[in-house]
Amino acid sequence: MADVRDIMELDRPGTPEITRETILGTDKPKKKFTPGTKISKRPEGMHREVFALLYNDNKDVPPLFPSDTGGNGYKQTKIKLGMRRPRKWEWMAFTNPARSDNATFYHWRRPSDDAKEYPFAKFNKKVDVPTYTDVEYQQHLTSDTWTKEETDHLMDLAQQFDLRFIIIADRYDTQKFSKRSVEDLKERYYKINGILAKLNGEKKIYTYDADHERRRKEQLKKLYDRTPEQIEEEQFLISELKKIEARKKERERKTQDLQKLISQADIQNDTPRKTDKKIPKKKLSNPRPSRVDTSYILQAVETAGIKFPDYKNSGVSLRSQRMKLPANIGQKKSKAIEQSLQEMGLELNPTATEDICQHFNELRSDMVLLMEIKSALETCEYDLQSLRHQYEALAPGKTLIIPAQLTNSEQENKINTGEIIDVVGSPGTPLNT
Amino acid sequence: MSGGMLYGGDEIGALVFDPGHHSLRVGYAQEDTPKAEIPAVVGVAPDEAIKLEAESKPDDSNVSSQSQHKYYIDTTFLHTPRVNMELHSYMKDGMIENWDMFEKILDYSYDKIIQSESHYHPVLFSESPWNQRQKRERLTELMFEKYKVPAFFLVKNAVLAAFATGRATALVIDSGATHTSAVPVLDGYVISNAVVKSPLGGDYLILRAREMLEQMGIDLTPAALIASKDVVRDKDKPRFVKKKLSFQPSNSWMTYMVKKTVQDFQQSVLQVSESQYDERVVSNIPSVHYEFPTGYHQDFGTERFKLAEGLFDHAMLGAGYIAATSAGMCDVDIRPALYSSVVLTGGNSLVQGFSDRLSRDLSVRTPSSARLKMIAANGSVERRFGSWVGGSILAAIGTFQQMWMSMQEYQESGKSQIDRKCP
Ligand SMILES: Nc1ncnc2c1ncn2[C@@H]1O[C@H](COP(=O)(O)OP(=O)(O)O)[C@@H](O)[C@H]1O
Ligand SMILES: [Mg+2]
């Protein structure tokens, strides 16, 4: 019936026009779908995973497109189709507030949307390009390399092309003015911008570092303009460098292994035997054992301490890495270092500046050295004492007088090396068992 | 439009024209193909020769001297031999040259293709990136004064081709009939100082193919002049009967028709080899059989590649070279963006293997740090009508409607503002 009426162009009283609301029925209070209200029970014996696959209907992924059907989309909404009059579309005139000329165009639109502003007008955004008066220009903006005319041209293009400086440089009037680079243009523009902003009392003034930009682009250009041969050469050099580094690492690893072996050997020999073993040998070779022993001690002093590995040239690394104790420093020693650092009131991990790094390493090296010397001294004293006991046991009634300089470790500095050695290395000591 | 905010479109009944050397593409904005592709040649014959044909409207009384001529437009009319009909191209160097003839084409478009009155429809025209100011103003004037269009806009065809692929920044390689060009586009603006073009396009291929075919002694009589033909064996002399004409068709018409014949050969047979032409490699690829309008037919093997190689092997004009040169002339900061969206368009890029070869040639010249990505529509329609499709999209976008130069603006400030309105 309605169709016939439509064809006859008769009015249909009582049938309201369709609107989106009547189709979607959103005027009625909506049934709320809250996730979790529809709790279905898992049948006995069904695996949880299988159940989860079946019953997660209300966990649908969100639609790719933004939809305006009020959350539920068309899927859940019961669309009410009926014998209702469709809303009209009309080919009608519109004006666009984004235009300055009030030109009218035509498009298809629902008459009900008539009052609304052209929806795309709000996207009409413009960049704010500062303006200046003649006076302002004369007072603040003059430049040796830019005339006012050229500056005006630049500002005009900046407005027209929304600060796309690459395009501005491309469309620059090179007949009137000389060619300018993108950096030149930016430099001038941002300078003017900054000066005007300052005049307006703005706090935040941006500056443009044209030289830096020029250098950056120069570098980039060089990077892009490399010939295939150059790239190949670079690849070759890089791979060579890698090889060298690998070899170096290998060598470093080997020296470390060696050092470890040496220090292990040292520990094993760290008993009185150390001195025994060496002294006779030296004695044989040298008629003046005193000299030999001095050199032995001096040598020990020189090599002791911490040998920090050489970090130079093995690629980029943190400087603090240089302060790491090498692996051959045992736990005992590092504990001791830690302790004495604390006693001195020093940080365990100071900021690794060049100076600190060097001095910190030297300090700890000296500490270790000191410890080593101390323990060596203790060994010597111990040896001395046991020698004395042996001597007294072998020659009852006699006592061996040990000179005071030798027993007192506090007086180290007064020690006369020659004398020590005389005692320590006195021939006929029956210690070499 | 009410529901239209979602996709940003607002169709206002605009028309899109994309003039080229090969053809003019005309149609309504927001449609996906032009309504018509009209060959870019006009047939002119003295008025006495009138029979029945689609003709320009006789209402331009302002050009009286031309009323003695009859103008023939569009394929069907052009392909029929007529007494004293000379064919002319109204394009030169990618720009409109002969305005009288171009008006005939526009008259024809409104009359037969659009079939609506020009003052109802805003018009968007494409132009070559190197179009001259004076020509742009002339076109503006023509559209407002003669056709009374309500609004007008001009966009560089490379920009439109980039838009058609959904990009505002791209390096557009457009290989058309008379030239191949590399045009950098940044945010919808052509970087005009970095445009590079070469005269090697479809016409060049046709010329070379024609030379070769003539040297091989193959008869290139166009189909329009053949009354009947017999089936002959491979490479046998063709047996055909020519149409009996009471007159000698003009030279320009014969040249055009032979060109069309060779063009078909070119499109069906030619292929660009994957890398630099190497006879040994190419001879392994199966040959293609082709039959000419005369009935003569044979296989074409290495020739296919040898001919097409002309587009690429030239040291300064090869497609890969001009593309790399153009990118190299742009600011270093945007080069990566250009390399990562190289848009291929234009009918001649449909020659088999064109896009593969271009991307290969270009990748050799691309800095190793840049990512090269080539965007070439698969469909032949999208490729041939790339610029038109871009125009069709642009003219029906809601936010574009503020850009038109309107009749009011034209009347207030004249044609010279086109340079500012459509930079
Ligand atoms: N399928 C195809 N294969 C090869 N060449 C083609 C094909 N289609 C068109 N061409 C060629 O493309 C050229 C026309 O390209 P087009 O972009 O329309 O040029 P213009 O923009 O100059 O009018 C002609 O030379 C034509 O021979
Ligand atoms: Mg073209």
Side-chain angles (χ1 to χ4, degrees):
Chain A
M1 219 14 227
D3 294 349
V4 176
R5 278 175 173 279
D6 271 349
I7 291 165
M8 308 291 288
E9 295 198 351
L10 293 173
D11 250 2
R12 273 185 302 169
T15 45
E17 276 203 349
I18 288 179
T19 62
R20 220 179 94 239
E21 284 67 38
T22 55
I23 294 173
L24 296 175
T26 38
D27 45 352
K28 289 225 181 101
K30 267 185 295 178
K31 218 175 31 166
K32 272 261 191 259
F33 284 91
T34 43
T37 45
K38 199 177 78 186
I39 302 163
S40 6
K41 214 169 154 351
R42 177 158 55 103
E44 198 127 331
M46 184 188 251
H47 283 292
R48 192 195 315 277
E49 291 81 4
V50 179
F51 181 71
L53 282 177
L54 288 174
Y55 293 99
N56 57 357
D57 277 353
N58 46 9
K59 281 185 261 162
D60 269 355
V61 284
L64 276 178
F65 257 78
S67 68
D68 56 355
T69 46
N72 298 327
Y74 288 100
K75 209 169 147 191
Q76 272 99 354
T77 314
K78 281 243 162 25
I79 297 179
K80 288 185 229 138
L81 297 171
M83 297 307 242
R84 254 178 289 200
R85 180 182 297 252
R87 281 174 302 160
K88 278 208 180 93
W89 287 86
E90 262 177 60
W91 182 251
M92 50 205 288
F94 70 96
T95 55
N96 186 344
R99 295 187 66 94
S100 54
D101 63 347
N102 264 326
T104 45
F105 294 98
Y106 291 81
H107 62 180
W108 287 105
R109 182 159 39 123
R110 291 209 156 106
S112 54
D113 291 341
D114 213 8
K116 290 181 192 158
E117 184 186 71
Y118 188 59
F120 297 101
K122 65 172 177 235
F123 297 114
N124 183 29
K125 297 280 187 263
K126 287 264 169 218
V127 172
D128 279 331
V129 171
T131 52
Y132 44 80
T133 62
D134 279 354
V135 180
E136 271 175 328
Y137 188 89
Q138 293 309 333
Q139 282 179 354
H140 307 284
L141 303 174
T142 47
S143 152
D144 293 341
T145 45
W146 287 76
T147 61
K148 169 142 196 306
E149 199 189 4
E150 192 175 1
T151 311
D152 289 346
H153 180 56
L154 167 66
M155 301 310 270
D156 182 38
L157 288 177
Q159 180 72 71
Q160 191 185 354
F161 295 110
D162 295 324
L163 301 186
R164 289 180 179 89
F165 283 96
I166 291 171
I167 304 293
I168 295 173
D170 180 59
R171 306 297 167 90
Y172 211 67
D173 192 343
T174 45
Q175 279 176 337
K176 256 200 218 153
F177 315 107
S178 58
K179 209 168 156 46
R180 301 262 191 189
S181 71
V182 172
E183 290 74 40
D184 291 343
L185 299 175
K186 279 189 179 176
E187 189 173 23
R188 177 69 173 153
Y189 176 83
Y190 286 114
K191 191 111 178 230
I192 288 180
N193 210 353
I195 293 172
L196 290 174
K198 210 185 253 168
L199 288 182
N200 290 338
E202 271 169 46
K203 292 263 153 41
K204 207 158 177 157
I205 310 285
Y206 295 100
T207 48
Y208 173 76
D209 188 349
D211 277 337
H212 180 268
E213 276 291 286
R214 279 190 202 106
R215 282 197 304 273
R216 181 182 67 80
K217 280 200 181 161
E218 200 49 48
Q219 294 290 336
L220 207 54
K221 216 176 269 160
K222 278 185 192 148
L223 181 71
Y224 284 152
D225 290 348
R226 285 177 309 170
T227 61
E229 292 82 48
Q230 284 169 325
I231 293 172
E232 212 166 88
E233 189 180 337
E234 191 191 307
Q235 292 296 342
F236 174 72
L237 287 179
I238 287 176
S239 70
E240 284 299 291
L241 181 67
K242 278 207 180 111
K243 271 189 223 157
I244 292 174
E245 266 171 14
R247 245 178 276 148
K248 203 180 141 177
K249 271 219 182 86
E250 179 70 17
R251 214 180 311 131
E252 255 169 32
R253 200 175 55 77
K254 276 188 183 152
T255 28
Q256 267 187 14
D257 284 356
L258 203 63
Q259 270 183 356
K260 225 183 239 163
L261 282 178
I262 291 172
S263 59
Q264 268 171 7
D266 276 356
I267 289 166
Q268 276 174 8
N269 296 341
D270 218 6
T271 44
R273 243 192 289 164
K274 180 171 84 185
T275 29
D276 316 336
K277 217 177 178 181
K278 278 187 184 152
I279 291 157
K281 238 198 251 166
K282 306 279 173 186
K283 218 174 64 184
L284 286 177
S285 62
N286 200 318
R288 291 197 58 192
S290 57
R291 284 268 164 266
V292 178
D293 271 349
T294 328
S295 73
Y296 162 68
I297 289 170
L298 284 178
Q299 208 178 13
V301 168
E302 260 164 13
T303 52
I306 309 171
K307 217 171 156 54
F308 286 94
D310 190 9
Y311 268 101
K312 262 176 238 154
N313 296 333
S314 54
V316 181
S317 68
L318 291 175
R319 199 189 284 124
S320 58
Q321 286 293 305
R322 282 193 235 159
M323 301 201 308
K324 248 173 91 173
L325 289 175
N328 59 354
I329 300 291
Q331 196 138 37
K332 221 170 100 190
K333 273 185 192 163
S334 56
K335 266 267 150 56
I337 293 176
E338 224 170 85
Q339 207 176 346
S340 31
L341 280 176
Q342 268 163 358
E343 278 165 20
M344 293 177 185
L346 290 175
E347 274 179 69
L348 297 183
N349 288 309
T351 316
T353 67
E354 187 81 53
D355 271 357
I356 293 183
C357 216
Q358 194 195 335
H359 289 129
F360 191 61
N361 284 355
E362 276 172 13
L363 173 68
R364 286 182 301 174
S365 180
D366 288 347
M367 282 174 175
V368 173
L369 178 58
L370 182 64
M371 280 181 249
E372 278 166 359
I373 291 175
K374 270 187 182 161
S375 73
L377 184 65
E378 263 164 32
T379 328
C380 288
E381 267 175 17
Y382 176 80
D383 286 353
L384 216 52
Q385 291 300 331
S386 57
L387 278 176
R388 189 165 61 91
H389 289 308
Q390 277 180 7
Y391 176 79
E392 281 167 5
L394 286 175
K398 283 189 185 176
T399 45
L400 184 70
I401 315 281
I402 295 166
Q405 305 105 295
L406 287 185
T407 49
N408 195 352
S409 51
E410 301 299 301
Q411 292 173 359
E412 253 172 295
N413 42 355
K414 288 185 204 160
I415 290 172
N416 180 330
T417 345
E419 280 179 72
I420 309 175
I421 277 108
D422 274 347
V423 177
V424 172
S426 60
T429 30
L431 257 180
N432 34 354
T433 39
Chain B
M1 185 227 69
S2 300
M5 278 302 285
L6 194 61
Y7 66 99
D10 186 17
E11 199 268 309
I12 62 162
L15 301 178
V16 178
F17 290 82
D18 175 31
H21 271 273
H22 180 69
S23 57
L24 168 74
R25 279 72 62 167
V26 199
Y28 281 98
Q30 215 181 44
E31 289 185 1
D32 44 16
T33 46
K35 276 257 175 296
E37 183 185 21
I38 309 165
V41 283
V42 176
V44 186
D47 205 14
E48 309 90 67
I50 302 177
K51 292 265 140 52
L52 34 110
E53 50 274 316
E55 176 224 1
S56 61
K57 282 200 143 188
D59 64 1
D60 11 303
S61 43
N62 54 333
V63 246
S64 53
S65 64
Q66 303 210 329
S67 58
Q68 302 155 7
H69 293 297
K70 209 142 172 46
Y71 294 90
Y72 299 90
I73 287 160
D74 220 347
T75 317
T76 347
F77 292 93
L78 288 173
H79 285 203
T80 318
R82 282 164 217 278
V83 181
N84 289 331
M85 182 173 76
E86 298 280 354
L87 301 190
H88 301 276
S89 167
Y90 53 83
M91 299 287 289
K92 193 179 167 206
D93 197 23
M95 297 175 279
I96 300 162
E97 178 76 9
N98 187 327
W99 292 88
D100 293 335
M101 280 185 202
F102 187 63
E103 272 181 51
K104 303 292 173 215
I105 292 264
L106 286 184
D107 290 339
Y108 172 84
S109 309
Y110 277 115
D111 220 35
K112 304 282 184 214
I113 314 287
I114 301 301
Q115 303 189 0
S116 170
E117 285 177 52
S118 57
H119 65 267
Y120 289 130
H121 307 283
V123 167
L124 183 135
F125 251 86
S126 80
E127 58 173 355
S128 73
W130 49 88
N131 202 5
Q132 293 155 1
R133 186 184 185 133
Q134 163 254 333
K135 290 191 191 256
R136 312 179 83 209
E137 290 182 1
R138 179 146 191 190
L139 183 62
T140 313
E141 191 173 18
L142 175 70
M143 295 316 288
F144 280 118
E145 299 286 348
K146 181 173 178 196
Y147 295 99
K148 308 261 180 280
V149 295
F152 178 69
F153 203 75
L154 258 178
V155 197
K156 314 254 183 270
N157 50 25
V159 173
L160 294 179
F163 284 169
T165 63
R167 264 149 243 265
T169 298
L171 179 62
V172 180
I173 314 296
D174 180 354
S175 189
T178 51
H179 54 257
T180 299
S181 59
V183 185
V185 176
L186 175 67
D187 289 346
Y189 296 103
V190 165
I191 299 180
S192 46
N193 289 318
V195 173
V196 182
K197 63 178 163 135
S198 87
L200 306 183
D203 286 359
Y204 170 74
L205 284 189
I206 292 170
L207 187 76
R208 297 242 323 213
R210 182 177 162 178
E211 276 170 12
M212 185 197 78
L213 294 174
E214 277 170 352
Q215 237 166 38
M216 291 167 76
I218 294 171
D219 192 330
L220 294 175
T221 307
L225 292 181
I226 290 171
S228 68
K229 58 182 171 186
D230 290 338
V231 178
V232 291
R233 277 190 311 174
D234 202 24
K235 287 198 170 180
D236 272 4
K237 204 173 149 25
R239 286 193 305 267
F240 63 99
V241 183
K242 272 200 185 185
K243 269 187 194 155
K244 292 214 166 32
L245 295 177
S246 59
F247 58 92
Q248 180 67 32
S250 73
N251 274 341
S252 60
W253 185 83
M254 273 309 286
T255 314
Y256 179 74
M257 292 313 290
V258 170
K259 182 178 163 185
K260 290 286 137 189
T261 310
V262 181
Q263 182 175 329
D264 186 70
F265 166 81
Q266 173 237 322
Q267 293 182 3
S268 0
V269 172
L270 259 52
Q271 182 171 350
V272 187
S273 75
E274 247 169 62
S275 54
Q276 196 147 35
Y277 176 79
D278 180 345
E279 182 138 6
R280 276 164 308 159
V281 175
V282 147
S283 56
N284 293 329
I285 298 173
S287 51
V288 165
H289 197 76
Y290 186 79
E291 178 176 332
F292 291 88
T294 54
Y296 176 85
H297 56 101
Q298 74 157 78
D299 277 351
F300 289 90
T302 54
E303 302 94 332
R304 306 167 54 208
F305 297 94
K306 212 174 192 164
L307 284 172
E309 188 67 13
L311 292 174
F312 287 91
D313 67 355
H314 196 286
M316 303 291 286
L317 301 172
Y321 179 83
I322 63 166
T325 311
S326 170
M329 285 162 82
C330 294
D331 193 283
V332 276
D333 282 349
I334 64 163
R335 281 185 217 170
L338 295 178
Y339 280 120
S340 67
S341 95
V342 178
V343 169
L344 186 58
T345 187
N348 194 48
S349 71
L350 283 168
V351 177
Q352 262 190 70
F354 190 105
S355 64
D356 292 341
R357 177 63 179 276
L358 178 61
S359 82
R360 192 189 169 100
D361 276 15
L362 197 50
S363 68
V364 179
R365 298 187 161 88
T366 310
S368 54
S369 51
R371 190 178 63 106
L372 181 67
K373 183 167 185 215
M374 204 142 89
I375 300 118
N378 284 327
S380 85
V381 170
E382 286 87 346
R383 202 82 77 77
R384 272 162 62 215
F385 304 144
S387 305
W388 188 91
V389 171
S392 165
I393 295 169
L394 181 66
I397 284 180
T399 44
F400 174 72
Q401 310 309 344
Q402 68 184 67
M403 307 293 289
W404 297 103
M405 174 172 174
S406 69
M407 182 60 115
Q408 287 98 310
E409 282 171 320
Y410 175 74
Q411 281 165 347
E412 275 162 29
S413 338
K415 60 187 176 183
S416 60
Q417 62 179 315
I418 192 74
D419 237 30
R420 203 179 166 84
K421 291 287 283 186
C422 315

